[in-house]
Amino acid sequence: MTLVDVDRERIRRINEGEATLQEPGLQELIRDGLAQDRLRATTELGPAVMGSDVSILSVGTPLRKGRIDLSFVRGAAEEVGRALRTVGRYHVVVVKSTVVPGTTQTVLRPVLEETSGMRAGAFGLCVNPEFLREGSAVRDFMDPDRIVIGAWDDRCALVLERLYESFSCPKLRTSLAEAELGKYVSNALLATLISFSNEIAGLCEGLPDTDVETVMGSVHLDRRLTALHEGLHVPVGICAYLRAGAGFGGSCLPKDVGALRAHARERGIPTRLLDAVAQVNRHRAEIIVRLTGQLLGSLRGRTIAQLGLAFKPGTDDLRDSPAITILKRLRSSGADVRVYDPVVPSSGDPALRRVVLASSPEEALEGVDAALIVTDWPQFSEWDWGSLSSRMRQPVIIDARNTLRRTRLPDHILYRPIGRCLGSDG
Ligand code: UDX
């Protein structure tokens, strides 16, 4: 297998056995591949295509001005197409990048046909989306729920089915557009559940004697969400997305909901539900910052320890992280913010310029008016809050991820989770 990238430094590091992003198991996978001579990395795309039977396009499709930017994937298809002129045998091009429905058929196929001088069919064309989560990408790949193979024709579908022969999960053969759309719909469903839970949290915050955790707990026990297996209640995975919090972020959910809405809008197709999903998510930061201000009387001149920066625990990824939006809002409301994250390094996002990054919980909490949890790192519930709170000017915790819900906290701490009515606790 040959990995191709335009970034020379990245290629050099991979060839030296280094994973260029934080992902459990990735480094070992690269090292094993190199040691067994089954993997190499290069910047030379042409020879890599010529020496293989399948090319997988997995370049980025970032969101620009609300629409996905296809320039990278189009550029990669052009280069692969040019290489196909000299391959001299049947070769399958697989689109793994997330692209809006119709892209492979109407944008990439013509590019490949023009640059290769062949018609689709003479080369294979498939869409094979990935459904990997950051932090468990290697495991998700090795043990997938399903493999979706969108295919131009039977011939190329069979090549991919053979490639994935050793995987025992269901393999679904679809049209190119269904495979493209399926990826968006999968992420749109997760985003919808998160916004739904956050809306219910808002309801609970306004209705006396209600708590979102109890309400959603009763919903989760529906047998369609929690199976009964040999007398035991086994929640299905989707329940993990029915938890209120600071909203969804990361490189996929916000981008994919945005791209799907824009794509539908261009075709005059209404997406009322997804519009609301995005709107609910956009308001999370404002709601959390307002709640913090209400608890402290005002944010101006207050010092807040913001706990968490990553868009979710287990990663150092700041892309579209709700924590960054919250940080900016806190600062623009006049608060001094001290930030602590167990993993995220000090450099990177411009939002972190002139922000104090604490290197320990003690440093983060010293003399602050409140601690605000915005990423649900499990470490936070293991901290000794009794002793840490004695360092704070006021022992106030706002938990925008409900991370400490099940942690016993000393009585003197004013603990404010998400989705509990302000008037209903002491
Ligand atoms: C997601 C999909 O899960 C994966 O299938 C797809 O291939 C890529 O996009 P990922 O972006 O790694 O994966 O993150 P995920 O674990 O799904 O979390 C996304 C965001 O939703 C995070 O910001 C997380 O904090 C938030 N989230 C998740 C909630 O706010 N509430 C929840 O109940 C669950």
Side-chain angles (χ1 to χ4, degrees):
M1 181 181 185
T2 312
L3 301 175
V4 184
D5 199 291
V6 291
D7 186 334
R8 287 183 186 284
E9 175 60 11
R10 186 177 294 161
I11 292 300
R12 187 193 63 73
R13 286 167 63 194
I14 292 173
N15 278 328
E16 282 175 7
E18 196 187 323
T20 52
L21 47 92
Q22 259 221 0
E23 199 58 63
L26 186 59
Q27 180 112 328
E28 293 77 352
L29 211 58
I30 291 173
R31 289 192 176 165
D32 285 354
L34 292 170
Q36 295 166 19
D37 219 9
R38 294 175 60 202
L39 178 76
R40 63 186 198 94
T42 176
T43 51
E44 301 293 319
L45 186 135
V49 172
M50 281 178 245
S52 40
D53 301 308
V54 177
S55 294
I56 301 176
L57 304 180
S58 52
V59 294
T61 49
L63 206 60
R64 289 216 200 294
K65 296 188 182 139
R67 307 178 65 222
I68 66 161
D69 176 356
L70 293 175
S71 55
F72 302 120
V73 68
R74 197 189 273 123
E78 269 171 24
E79 270 201 71
V80 170
R82 275 197 292 275
L84 285 183
R85 281 183 181 271
T86 48
V87 164
R89 63 173 187 280
Y90 186 66
H91 189 97
V92 182
V93 181
V94 180
V95 179
K96 202 172 259 302
S97 300
T98 302
V99 291
V100 289
T103 304
T104 303
Q105 164 83 326
T106 62
V107 180
L108 302 177
R109 180 182 59 88
V111 166
L112 285 161
E113 288 184 340
E114 196 180 310
T115 48
S116 68
M118 289 188 274
R119 302 299 300 270
F123 61 86
L125 185 58
C126 290
V127 173
N128 172 221
E130 51 83 11
F131 298 96
L132 314 178
R133 288 162 301 169
E134 277 188 42
S136 59
V138 173
R139 200 177 59 216
D140 291 349
F141 182 84
M142 296 300 190
D143 183 18
D145 300 334
R146 74 297 210 187
I147 293 173
V148 177
I149 300 173
W152 172 262
D153 58 17
D154 284 348
R155 189 179 179 194
C156 58
L158 285 170
V159 172
L160 273 209
E161 279 166 9
R162 239 190 0 260
L163 186 68
Y164 288 118
E165 212 164 40
S166 61
F167 291 79
S168 58
C169 67
K171 286 157 203 147
L172 194 67
R173 209 195 274 193
T174 69
S175 71
L176 296 172
E178 283 165 344
E180 291 166 330
L181 181 58
K183 162 77 193 213
Y184 281 98
V185 173
S186 173
N187 280 346
L189 173 66
L190 300 178
T192 303
L193 295 179
I194 295 169
S195 278
F196 173 80
S197 310
N198 285 333
E199 178 133 314
I200 305 305
L203 266 174
C204 291
E205 279 160 18
L207 297 174
D209 295 326
T210 59
D211 184 333
V212 73
E213 293 273 310
T214 322
V215 173
M216 292 310 280
S218 73
V219 174
H220 287 180
L221 283 170
D222 184 310
R223 260 184 220 197
R224 286 160 291 190
L225 293 171
T226 297
L228 249 185
H229 181 68
E230 293 174 358
L232 290 174
H233 288 91
V234 188
V236 299
I238 203 82
C239 289
Y241 284 86
L242 284 164
R243 291 199 50 219
F248 57 83
S251 63
C252 290
L253 264 47
K255 170 175 97 76
D256 290 354
V257 171
L260 188 56
R261 288 171 60 223
H263 189 65
R265 198 163 49 240
E266 282 164 13
R267 275 148 195 79
I269 306 168
T271 52
R272 295 179 191 94
L273 180 60
L274 292 181
D275 296 348
V277 165
Q279 197 188 13
V280 169
N281 201 53
R282 257 198 316 276
H283 278 125
R284 289 313 290 165
E286 185 189 324
I287 290 168
I288 286 156
V289 171
R290 199 190 315 131
L291 175 71
T292 310
Q294 272 168 8
L295 272 180
L296 298 180
S298 159
L299 285 172
R300 191 149 297 282
R302 306 287 183 166
T303 308
I304 315 280
Q306 177 176 317
L307 305 179
L309 271 179
F311 82 96
K312 68 173 192 179
T315 173
D316 60 352
D317 198 341
L318 299 183
R319 283 177 292 174
D320 258 322
S321 175
I324 296 288
T325 319
I326 290 172
L327 171 64
K328 286 182 185 160
R329 277 189 171 273
L330 284 172
R331 298 187 77 203
S332 65
S333 306
D336 277 334
V337 189
R338 201 175 299 158
V339 177
Y340 175 80
D341 187 285
V343 166
V344 174
S346 50
S347 60
D349 199 282
L352 299 182
R353 266 186 233 129
R354 299 190 311 277
V355 170
V356 181
L357 287 151
S359 54
S360 66
E362 290 77 14
E363 193 190 330
L365 293 165
E366 190 68 49
V368 298
D369 294 291
L372 171 59
I373 299 177
V374 289
T375 310
D376 38 352
W377 284 101
Q379 287 91 322
F380 297 155
S381 53
E382 288 154 16
W383 287 0
D384 178 356
W385 282 99
S387 110
L388 285 171
S389 62
S390 64
R391 295 172 176 267
M392 300 167 71
R393 195 179 303 148
Q394 305 182 92
V396 177
I397 304 174
I398 300 109
D399 188 354
R401 292 283 184 185
N402 284 346
T403 306
L404 303 184
R405 280 280 195 153
R406 274 156 213 89
T407 306
R408 270 197 72 80
L409 295 171
D411 290 343
H412 69 275
I413 293 182
L414 173 63
Y415 174 67
R416 171 70 59 208
I418 285 295
R420 190 190 286 167
C421 183
L422 268 174
S424 67
D425 69 3

